[in-house]
Amino acid sequence: MLENNENNIEDQEENAQVEEQAPQAVAAKEEATVADDSDTDSTSDDEDPSADDLHAAAKTDADEDDEDWWKDDDEYTRSEREEMEVLYDSTLKQFNENEIVTGTVVSIGEKETVLNIGFKSEGMVPNSEFRDMPDLKAGDEVEVFIETVEDVQGQLLLSRKRAKSMRTWEKINNALDHDTIMLGLVHRRTKGGFVVDMEGIEAFLPGSQIDVKPVRDFDAFVGRTMEFKVVKINHAYENVVVSHKVLIEEKLEEQRQEILKNLEKGQVLEGMVKNMTNFGVFIDLGGVDGLLHITDISWGRINHPEEVLDLDQKVNVVVLDFDEDKKRISLGMKQLTAHPWESLSDTVSEGSNVKGKVVTVAEYGVFLEILPGVEGLIHTSEMSWSQHIKNPTEMFKVGDELEAQVLNIDRDERKMSLGLKQLLSDPWEEVIAKFPVDSRHTGKVRNMTNYGLFVELEEGVDGLVHISDLSWTKKFNHPSEYVKVGDELEVVVRAIDIDNRRLSLSHKHLTEDVWETFASIFTVGSTQKGTIKRIDAKGARVELEYGVEGTVPSRHLKVEDGKEELKVDDQAEFMVIEFNKDAKKLVLSHTRIWNDDIPGEKKPAARPAASKRRSTSSAGAGPSAKAAALKTMKQSTTTLGEIDALAQLKAQMEAAEQEDEAPKKKPAAKKAAPKKAEAKVEEVVEDVVEDSADDSTEEAAE
């Protein structure tokens, strides 16, 4: 400021001198003008030149005066003056608005900084635009933007912020065009990424463009100065998108090529856990990723890699396989240590007891881990003597500690079979003594199948009752039609198979085979009354007296014209057309009752003797007693009461014969047929009674 004041004072003195010399210069000029006029007048008087000549002469004199006015008084030569003019012109600048110029800091005030750009006046810039230059001082040069050369107040308006912004845009565009790197400060987080300060310009950094590996802590990048590449510019909205990931990928690509070039099976590398999944871990080998499968992490069984490894953990791995075409690398970590089977103690052998932890539960059994990497299978059949385990998950879970016995061990194949039930006594060792053949027992129905049911006699010992061994007289489609699971059932032991641990049981053999008696009752050609229990496409099933069931083919269900067809629960008469004692088969026909001629069927041979005997026996008092005795056998299964009824039947038949023979004697020829039928019935009854008596004697002895 003092220098400016001194310059102003000197300028005022020079102006005063010029004002003092001005009147003298004016007077001299007037004299010269008068002299020129007198010369002109004399010339015109003497020579009287023309107007053109006068004009040309005047122009020549004027040019000479313009060119040489300084020669008389100037102390500089022409060359010196030209050199000084160049120097003078270089000190003068042409300033235009909206351009960037370099200014010198003159002074720094509390709010504004004064800059000299070489203009006639100095410009002011707010201090807030120099926040990135905390060490700014007088004399420093900075670039500023001329907003206005002279405003209404005559001031020069400058802006460093706009100058800096324009220079940054030039750098950003140049970085995009020439693929160069720029520095930026991660300013703050925003939706989907970050805002990066690129020397005053805010750029957007997407979250996916930060790193090649997943970022778990985005806040860790805020406030960091990083290198970026400009990937996109929207000039219309002045938006810039940058990426740090592309720089990493470029470096990793170089490392990847180097790694793949030297990669080979069996090579041990150091990597970092990059990502985890249920099936394994991805290891970053420094530019290329490899898969470490969960089964190759540890010799022991693990459910998830996080049980052993952590993210960003550095581990040593071995290359197991490498696919050059697909660039896939299979890695292993457990292969760096010896297999536990190789260090398994010799004390672990067949018959020895071991302890372990359940690591897997499957439908067929559980795997027990003896040592990490050493496992044995406990099959469902080796879990219990008494229970048929369908699903081991009902009894065991992962983590349970169990003790088992080694049943089989193969160190070469690294397999081991274990058993739990072997730690308990085998109940089948005493089966023959406890459950001999033909002995009777009461057990609980444990399970059912389509072909029969299983009855548990005691814990660990059960036997099969075939569906055909439930009843002498009835046939069932499923055992559940006769008994339910959990019910108690009395059975007879029919056979024992110790080697296969099987018992053959029967329920119907608690009583004698009544089909021997039925042979004399349901004779072929006899008529019986029955109730229809079921009808299907093949025919019907009919229940007759004494609970016996017979089948009626569909063609034998036809009724007489004008009558309603037979249906379930209807009672009707049926003719016996087939009786097979061995197969326990009884075939009936309703059509035979009213029609003897059935296409494709032979008429059954009638047995009039038996029919006559039955009709005769139903007439007298004695036969009535026989019928009453037979009616006592109308039950679903044969019981001891039925055997008693048969014994009574025999006695009544003998009494009836004595009554018939007392009043009159008929020729032997006429009595031959009835006696023959009676004799057959008597033989059957006698056999049944005798067998019953024998059984009663044996039971009494027991």
Side-chain angles (χ1 to χ4, degrees):
M1 295 296 292
L2 295 175
E3 293 177 357
N4 292 336
N5 293 334
E6 292 176 357
N7 293 333
N8 292 334
I9 294 172
E10 292 177 357
D11 292 340
Q12 291 176 4
E13 292 177 354
E14 291 178 358
N15 293 334
Q17 292 177 1
V18 171
E19 289 177 357
E20 292 176 357
Q21 296 175 0
Q24 299 176 0
V26 172
K29 186 176 181 181
E30 290 178 354
E31 291 177 359
T33 302
V34 172
D36 292 339
D37 292 340
S38 61
D39 293 338
T40 302
D41 293 340
S42 61
T43 302
S44 61
D45 294 339
D46 297 337
E47 298 179 1
D48 192 15
S50 63
D52 294 335
D53 295 337
L54 292 174
H55 181 70
K59 184 177 181 181
T60 302
D61 295 339
D63 294 338
E64 291 177 356
D65 292 340
D66 292 339
E67 293 179 0
D68 301 331
W69 65 269
W70 51 271
K71 290 182 180 180
D72 297 335
D73 299 330
D74 195 359
E75 58 184 358
Y76 300 103
T77 62
R78 177 181 292 276
S79 60
E80 291 176 345
R81 177 169 289 278
E82 290 177 353
E83 183 178 354
M84 292 183 66
E85 287 178 354
V86 171
L87 293 175
Y88 180 75
D89 291 338
S90 62
T91 60
L92 298 177
K93 296 181 180 180
Q94 185 69 29
F95 296 96
N96 299 317
E97 296 181 355
N98 300 328
E99 70 175 358
I100 298 175
V101 296
T102 301
T104 304
V105 177
V106 177
S107 63
I108 301 175
E110 293 182 359
K111 295 183 178 180
E112 295 178 328
T113 299
V114 180
L115 291 104
N116 180 17
I117 63 172
F119 194 57
K120 64 181 181 179
S121 62
E122 296 170 343
M124 312 291 288
V125 178
N127 291 340
S128 60
E129 297 187 10
F130 295 98
R131 290 176 181 174
D132 59 332
M133 301 179 66
D135 299 331
L136 184 68
K137 61 184 182 298
D140 291 347
E141 292 185 350
V142 294
E143 288 188 334
V144 291
F145 177 81
I146 301 176
E147 293 185 343
T148 303
V149 175
E150 187 175 1
D151 62 359
V152 294
Q153 297 179 356
Q155 294 181 352
L156 174 64
L157 299 181
L158 304 176
S159 173
R160 180 180 179 273
K161 181 179 180 180
R162 294 193 62 181
K164 183 179 178 182
S165 176
M166 292 181 66
R167 291 301 187 197
T168 303
W169 273 107
E170 292 178 1
K171 293 181 180 179
I172 291 174
N173 284 279
N174 184 65
L176 179 63
D177 296 337
H178 298 87
D179 196 25
T180 56
I181 300 173
M182 292 187 64
L183 290 176
L185 174 66
V186 181
H187 186 55
R188 66 180 184 276
R189 284 192 61 181
T190 185
K191 184 178 180 181
F194 298 87
V195 174
V196 180
D197 184 3
M198 307 285 291
E199 299 182 11
I201 300 297
E202 289 188 345
F204 177 64
L205 173 62
S208 60
Q209 296 297 317
I210 299 176
D211 204 342
V212 292
K213 56 185 178 182
V215 178
R216 287 174 287 276
D217 185 10
F218 286 90
D219 294 332
F221 291 89
V222 178
R224 291 175 55 181
T225 300
M226 304 170 63
E227 293 182 341
F228 301 98
K229 272 195 174 183
V230 180
V231 295
K232 185 178 180 181
I233 298 177
N234 189 334
H235 295 280
Y237 297 96
E238 295 185 350
N239 292 337
V240 182
V241 180
V242 296
S243 173
H244 180 70
K245 178 180 178 180
V246 294
L247 298 174
I248 301 177
E249 289 178 341
E250 291 177 357
K251 295 179 181 178
L252 292 180
E253 183 61 28
E254 298 177 359
Q255 298 177 7
R256 182 183 295 110
Q257 297 299 330
E258 185 67 21
I259 293 174
L260 295 177
K261 181 179 179 181
N262 301 322
L263 195 65
E264 59 183 11
K265 292 183 181 180
Q267 184 178 6
V268 179
L269 301 174
E270 183 183 27
M272 185 176 65
V273 178
K274 180 178 180 181
N275 192 16
M276 289 187 182
T277 63
N278 292 330
F279 57 86
V281 178
F282 288 95
I283 304 296
D284 184 3
L285 301 175
V288 61
D289 293 343
L291 175 61
L292 175 61
H293 198 269
I294 188 172
T295 57
D296 292 318
I297 296 177
S298 172
W299 290 115
R301 193 184 296 265
I302 59 176
N303 297 320
H304 197 277
E306 64 185 6
E307 299 177 6
V308 181
L309 301 174
D310 297 322
L311 291 173
D312 299 331
Q313 178 183 350
K314 291 184 178 181
V315 294
N316 291 328
V317 291
V318 60
V319 179
L320 301 179
D321 194 9
F322 172 56
D323 190 340
E324 296 182 359
D325 298 332
K326 298 181 180 180
K327 300 296 185 293
R328 292 181 180 177
I329 305 174
S330 298
L331 304 175
M333 193 169 71
K334 70 180 184 181
Q335 288 78 8
L336 297 175
T337 59
H339 199 288
W341 272 89
E342 299 177 0
S343 58
L344 185 63
S345 175
D346 295 335
T347 58
V348 180
S349 59
E350 295 183 6
S352 62
N353 295 341
V354 294
K355 293 182 180 180
K357 181 176 65 175
V358 176
V359 292
T360 301
V361 181
E363 294 181 357
Y364 53 87
V366 299
F367 286 92
L368 193 68
E369 186 180 55
I370 311 303
L371 296 173
V374 179
E375 299 175 2
L377 173 62
I378 305 176
H379 196 269
T380 53
S381 61
E382 304 297 339
M383 291 182 178
S384 174
W385 294 113
S386 61
Q387 299 180 11
H388 292 266
I389 302 174
K390 292 183 178 180
N391 192 353
T393 57
E394 299 175 357
M395 297 182 60
F396 307 100
K397 62 181 182 298
V398 175
D400 289 348
E401 294 185 357
L402 302 174
E403 182 177 3
Q405 186 177 105
V406 179
L407 304 180
N408 186 18
I409 184 170
D410 189 343
R411 294 179 180 270
D412 295 333
E413 296 293 332
R414 295 172 180 174
K415 293 181 180 180
M416 186 187 306
S417 297
L418 305 175
L420 293 177
K421 67 182 183 181
Q422 286 74 13
L423 300 178
L424 305 174
S425 60
D426 187 358
W428 279 85
E429 295 177 355
E430 302 178 356
V431 165
I432 296 178
K434 289 184 177 181
F435 309 102
V437 177
D438 294 333
S439 61
R440 298 186 179 189
H441 307 276
T442 300
K444 181 178 291 186
V445 178
R446 186 185 54 80
N447 191 19
M448 288 187 180
T449 63
N450 293 330
Y451 54 85
L453 54 88
F454 290 91
V455 177
E456 187 176 45
L457 302 182
E458 72 171 15
E459 186 176 357
V461 178
D462 55 10
L464 171 65
V465 179
H466 197 271
I467 190 171
S468 62
D469 290 329
L470 290 175
S471 174
W472 289 111
T473 59
K474 289 188 176 182
K475 294 183 179 180
F476 305 100
N477 293 324
H478 194 272
S480 60
E481 298 177 4
Y482 185 76
V483 70
K484 304 298 181 185
V485 174
D487 292 348
E488 290 188 352
L489 187 67
E490 189 176 2
V491 294
V492 175
V493 178
R494 301 287 296 169
I496 301 176
D497 186 353
I498 296 296
D499 296 335
N500 295 318
R501 297 175 180 268
R502 293 177 181 176
L503 281 180
S504 177
L505 307 177
S506 175
H507 176 67
K508 70 180 183 181
H509 283 85
L510 293 171
T511 60
E512 296 296 331
D513 187 359
V514 296
W515 282 86
E516 294 288 347
T517 304
F518 292 158
S520 60
I521 298 174
F522 303 103
T523 57
V524 176
S526 63
T527 301
Q528 307 289 336
K529 286 185 178 181
T531 303
I532 297 178
K533 294 299 182 181
R534 188 175 65 217
I535 298 177
D536 53 25
K538 295 181 179 180
R541 184 172 291 277
V542 178
E543 182 178 3
L544 303 177
E545 291 181 321
Y546 317 116
V548 68
E549 291 186 351
T551 58
V552 182
S554 58
R555 60 180 176 273
H556 288 276
L557 280 175
K558 294 181 180 180
V559 298
E560 194 174 357
D561 295 341
K563 293 185 178 181
E564 294 182 359
E565 294 184 357
L566 296 176
K567 57 184 181 296
V568 178
D569 295 334
D570 284 354
Q571 291 185 352
E573 290 186 345
F574 300 89
M575 179 180 289
V576 179
I577 60 176
E578 183 181 350
F579 182 88
N580 191 331
K581 180 183 67 174
D582 297 332
K584 308 296 187 291
K585 182 178 180 182
L586 184 61
V587 183
L588 308 173
S589 173
H590 175 72
T591 307
R592 290 288 188 188
I593 299 297
W594 59 273
N595 184 10
D596 290 340
D597 297 329
I598 298 178
E601 291 285 342
K602 292 183 179 181
K603 184 177 179 181
R607 299 180 65 181
S611 300
K612 183 178 180 181
R613 182 63 183 172
R614 292 187 61 193
S615 60
T616 303
S617 62
S618 61
S624 298
K626 298 176 186 178
L630 288 173
K631 288 182 179 180
T632 62
M633 298 175 61
K634 294 179 180 179
Q635 298 178 2
S636 60
T637 59
T638 306
T639 63
L640 294 176
E642 296 177 356
I643 298 176
D644 295 339
L646 290 174
Q648 294 176 6
L649 175 60
K650 178 182 179 183
Q652 292 173 0
M653 291 175 67
E654 291 176 351
E657 289 177 358
Q658 293 176 1
E659 291 177 359
D660 291 341
E661 293 176 355
K664 56 181 179 179
K665 294 183 179 180
K666 294 184 180 181
K670 293 182 180 180
K671 295 183 179 180
K675 286 184 177 181
K676 195 173 183 179
E678 289 176 2
K680 189 172 183 178
V681 174
E682 289 175 359
E683 291 177 0
V684 173
V685 174
E686 287 176 358
D687 293 339
V688 173
V689 173
E690 290 175 359
D691 293 340
S692 176
D694 294 340
D695 292 341
S696 300
T697 303
E698 291 177 1
E699 290 178 358
E702 291 176 358

